[in-house]
Amino acid sequence: MAIKLEQCRIHPSSYSDHEFCTPLTHFDIPFLQSDPTQRLIFFDFPCQKLHFIENILPCLKNSLSLTLTHFLPLAGNVILPLNSGIPVIRHVSGDSVSLTIAQSDQDFNYLTGNHQRVADEFYVCVPELPPSRRFPDSVIFPVIALQITLFPGQGICIGITNHHAVSDGSSTINFVKSWACVNRFGGAFYQTDGKHFPVLDRNLVQDPGNLNSTAWEFIKKSRKFPFFELPPATFPINRVRSTFILTKIQVEKLKNYVSVNRRHDLRHISSFTVISAYVWICSVKAEAASAEETNNGGDDEEPVHFSFPADCRGRLNPPLPESYFGNCLVFVRVESKRGLLKKKDGFLIAVEIIAEEIRRIMYSDKGVLESADWPLDFGKPGRKCVVSVAGSPRFDVYEADFGWGKAKKQEFVHLDRERSISLCKSRDFEGGFEIGLSRKKAEMDVFEDVFYQGLLEIM
């Protein structure tokens, strides 16, 4: 159970009378049809309520205000035109971010464990985005909502709900790290540290072949247009969440297994490739096994798909700065037959398919946008049996230190609505990885057996 202590609005500390307006690019627009991202970051910081209210919370609010000064798009709104023009992000005087302060009596250690946990238990920490507003010529909706939840004597959770159309994972984590930096060291330190300073100029994104208009026409045909809001969760969700750890040694053994047994010449087998392939086959096997228990086993000839976003800031011509704030992703999608991935060499098949598609899209002489068929490629997964990836091991949220030490756990709550997995760097194992899943309990039980048994066979 959670108690709401306060509901407030946080304004940027300066430039609040300065209007900021920039169009969404072809990298942003397709994400208008995506559900908002819901991320929870737990910190093991056992403070009591009085200390939290009098000392911790004022600093968090002030540092958030200072940080938003440099991340004005987050304090603004997305404007969707209903007649002509393309969507823009706009911040005007008075715009602010919704911040909820709450207190929970839940077991902090239970929520931050790796074992199976009831998915419903996490929603007390998830902030709700304010509703959109409709006008005769436009629809306006806020970009982000934040929540700070105190677990007295246990820890603190920072919850983030944001529209993907404004920022990808790289940008969101950059914002969190910046807020943490300001909270820990103060605004003066942040202004002299250019490491996380965001680049907001979306004009840096080239628009070859009028991709912005192509993306916007694609979105206007969406069944969700013009309202892109997340319906409230219905409880019970009937899912459990689990986190699986792969150490650096285990990942290297997966890569060595591929090197020894591969059937085709593969240029480079990355950690991401072998982890993705392994989780994909485990998901396919678990889904098939749990379906068979209900006499609804999947067809071995049925196509199954795997999808993940790939950051391409450095692969554009000219490349975008690493701290560019916005979206700069293309999708890598692969397909196989269910029966092939269930075979003994299914892992090798999955590795080869994923590695080849990464090579084709990310290393093509034609350029990443043409190879990915962007942005029309975004609409291709409108089919069953898609496992996709949320997060990335490239963007380490555990580096964010608000002055309480590194985070204890990160959870992607929106996994409850889809068949995605989350993937990030391990908090506790150098070179290791954390894989997060949300599944029905029967399927999760099977996944665990398949995951750990498969490792024993490969190792």
Side-chain angles (χ1 to χ4, degrees), residues 42 44 106-115 117 151 154 408:
F42 294 89
D44 190 358
Q106 292 171 290
D107 185 340
F108 186 84
N109 289 326
Y110 169 81
L111 293 177
T112 57
N114 294 332
H115 59 284
R117 292 146 291 148
F151 295 78
Q154 301 181 83
K408 184 175 182 181

Side-chain angles (χ1 to χ4, degrees), residues 394-452:
R394 292 186 59 197
F395 317 129
D396 189 4
V397 73
Y398 292 118
E399 291 180 349
D401 185 352
F402 285 80
W404 319 320
K406 67 165 62 174
K408 184 175 182 181
K409 195 69 184 297
Q410 173 182 227
E411 293 284 346
F412 290 88
V413 177
H414 62 275
L415 297 187
D416 295 337
R417 305 191 300 271
E418 49 201 45
R419 294 197 60 77
S420 297
I421 65 167
S422 64
L423 181 60
C424 66
K425 289 183 179 178
S426 170
R427 177 194 188 276
D428 299 315
F429 297 95
E430 182 67 30
F433 300 85
E434 294 180 10
I435 303 157
L437 272 80
S438 170
R439 298 288 190 271
K440 291 184 178 180
K441 179 167 175 49
E443 185 176 342
M444 187 70 82
D445 289 341
V446 178
F447 183 94
E448 288 183 356
D449 290 342
V450 171
F451 184 88
Y452 292 116

Side-chain angles (χ1 to χ4, degrees), residues 97-111:
V97 170
S98 170
L99 175 64
T100 303
I101 312 300
Q103 175 183 324
S104 174
D105 60 0
Q106 292 171 290
D107 185 340
F108 186 84
N109 289 326
Y110 169 81
L111 293 177

Side-chain angles (χ1 to χ4, degrees), residues 251-261:
V251 173
E252 288 302 317
K253 287 185 176 180
L254 287 174
K255 292 163 73 173
N256 290 337
Y257 180 86
V258 174
S259 297
V260 171
N261 296 281

Side-chain angles (χ1 to χ4, degrees), residues 14 88 97 113 133 139 219 226 229 240 251-252 275 279 351 353 358 363 386 448 451:
S14 62
V88 300
V97 170
R133 294 169 290 157
V139 174
I219 285 298
E229 292 183 311
V240 294
V251 173
E252 288 302 317
I275 294 170
V279 175
V351 167
I353 294 172
I358 291 175
Y363 298 94
V386 179
E448 288 183 356
F451 184 88

